[in-house]
Amino acid sequence: MAGGGSAIRGSRVGAGPMGEAERGDAAPRVWISYWCAAGHETRPSFADDAGTQAPENWDCPRCGLPAGQDRANPPAAPKNEPYKTHLAYVKERRSDAEGAELLEEALTALRQRRGR
């Protein structure tokens, strides 16, 4: 065959259209609306089983904010805390007086080791 090729090129044995008859029946679904603080509605589907519960919150695919099932009261956007250094965390736990006392203890211990 010149330039054409085989009619089954790119196929494999057993390949064919997959339909409901081959995959089985689809599980019953339920669609639940979630709203974010920006007013976006998201409607993911879940299996409609008696023992399955949909999550309370869902991430909005448009803006990334958390979304809830109550349209009037969507979840608040998470607060982004600025990055803190190790020193900032230490300063939260210790007062300046405590820091000075610890520094003096460390310097005294260092001086004693050098004096040996």
Side-chain angles (χ1 to χ4, degrees), residues 5-7 9 18 32 36 38 46 51 63 67 80 90 95 106 111:
S6 175
R9 172 181 260 170
M18 294 287 287
I32 298 177
C36 69
F46 301 96
C63 64
N80 291 332
V90 170
S95 68
R111 288 178 187 131

Side-chain angles (χ1 to χ4, degrees), residues 2-68:
S6 175
I8 61 170
R9 172 181 260 170
S11 310
R12 65 180 188 276
V13 175
M18 294 287 287
E20 288 296 320
E22 293 182 29
R23 289 187 288 166
D25 294 331
R29 310 297 286 172
V30 61
W31 284 263
I32 298 177
S33 292
Y34 291 88
W35 289 273
C36 69
H40 303 136
E41 180 184 11
T42 304
R43 295 194 65 204
S45 67
F46 301 96
D48 192 18
D49 293 336
T52 305
Q53 283 190 340
E56 282 185 39
N57 293 330
W58 193 262
D59 289 338
C60 177
R62 291 179 66 189
C63 64
L65 293 173

Side-chain angles (χ1 to χ4, degrees), residues 58-85:
W58 193 262
D59 289 338
C60 177
R62 291 179 66 189
C63 64
L65 293 173
Q69 296 178 26
D70 185 359
R71 185 178 196 165
N73 296 309
K79 295 186 192 270
N80 291 332
E81 300 227 359
Y83 173 78
K84 289 185 185 177
T85 64

